[in-house]
Amino acid sequence: KSDLAVARSETARLKQEKDVATAKATATGAPDPAASPSAHLSPAMNTLPPLAKGETVDAMDLGNHYLADATAADARYRKKVFKVKGEIAGFDKPMLSRNYRVLLRTPGRELRVLCTVTPPEKYNAVFTTQGGTQLTGSLRNGARVTFLKVGDSVVLEGTCGGLDGPMIEMSGCSLLTVE
């Protein structure tokens, strides 16, 4: 609940900053940065074939689909198992839990994909390092191995739980690849 409250507060702050920036841009005649050509364009959901088992969905597309129409996105993704590919934006490691959470980037800051991941059995423990920008595992022999970093591109597979506040939740995830 505290994580959700923090995320909602951050979302409200970012929305206010965006509104101020848009108002300034409009007043000065400058182009809206949100409308830049580098923005990620996703295919419309109604143009996509049915989601196949094991299909890979880009986190940016998943975010755009939920932002455009959460009800239609739920119909397509919720309670389905699929792979999600994206860039790591951050980590969360709850205390007293073996699982860790990976936040994937989406086109807007108001929404993130949150993947709850079960670490591989080879790690006794998993924890964040370098100010929360790296995920490190402790091996049975005591060695520590950094296996994920903010900015890494990953593919995870799990079950979509749909939208919960500012998060699209993926549960029961396993880490498939890291680039």
Side-chain angles (χ1 to χ4, degrees):
K1 287 183 179 180
S2 66
D3 289 344
L4 182 58
V6 168
R8 285 184 177 155
S9 170
E10 179 69 6
T11 299
R13 183 184 67 76
L14 291 171
K15 183 179 181 328
Q16 184 178 20
E17 286 177 8
K18 181 183 175 197
D19 291 347
V20 168
T22 301
K24 284 181 183 177
T26 302
T28 62
D32 181 3
S36 72
S38 63
H40 182 83
L41 298 176
S42 298
M45 276 188 292
N46 61 0
T47 66
L48 297 173
L51 188 67
K53 185 174 182 176
E55 186 174 335
T56 301
V57 177
D58 190 288
M60 297 287 234
D61 293 338
L62 188 62
N64 275 339
H65 291 161
Y66 268 96
L67 284 172
D69 186 348
T71 304
D74 263 353
R76 179 171 175 77
Y77 299 112
R78 189 175 172 84
K79 297 184 181 177
K80 305 255 177 43
V81 176
F82 57 91
K83 297 172 189 168
V84 63
K85 178 181 180 175
E87 181 184 336
I88 297 174
F91 302 104
D92 181 33
K93 176 60 178 90
M95 292 181 67
L96 305 175
S97 173
R98 181 162 164 70
N99 295 340
Y100 59 92
R101 292 183 254 184
V102 176
L103 287 165
L104 299 178
R105 290 200 195 288
T106 57
R109 292 182 178 180
E110 66 275 4
L111 188 66
R112 292 280 190 253
V113 177
L114 177 68
C115 302
T116 301
V117 184
T118 303
E121 288 298 319
K122 67 181 180 181
Y123 298 117
N124 286 338
V126 173
F127 47 92
T128 59
T129 55
Q130 299 296 315
T133 63
Q134 296 181 352
L135 206 59
T136 301
S138 175
L139 298 171
R140 302 206 186 285
N141 65 7
R144 293 181 174 185
V145 178
T146 297
F147 62 99
L148 291 176
K149 298 176 188 165
V150 168
D152 284 349
S153 181
V154 294
V155 176
L156 301 148
E157 184 173 45
T159 305
C160 183
L163 195 60
D164 185 11
M167 301 290 177
I168 301 166
E169 296 194 353
M170 298 285 296
S171 62
C173 295
S174 55
L175 178 64
L176 301 179
T177 62
V178 180
E179 297 172 5

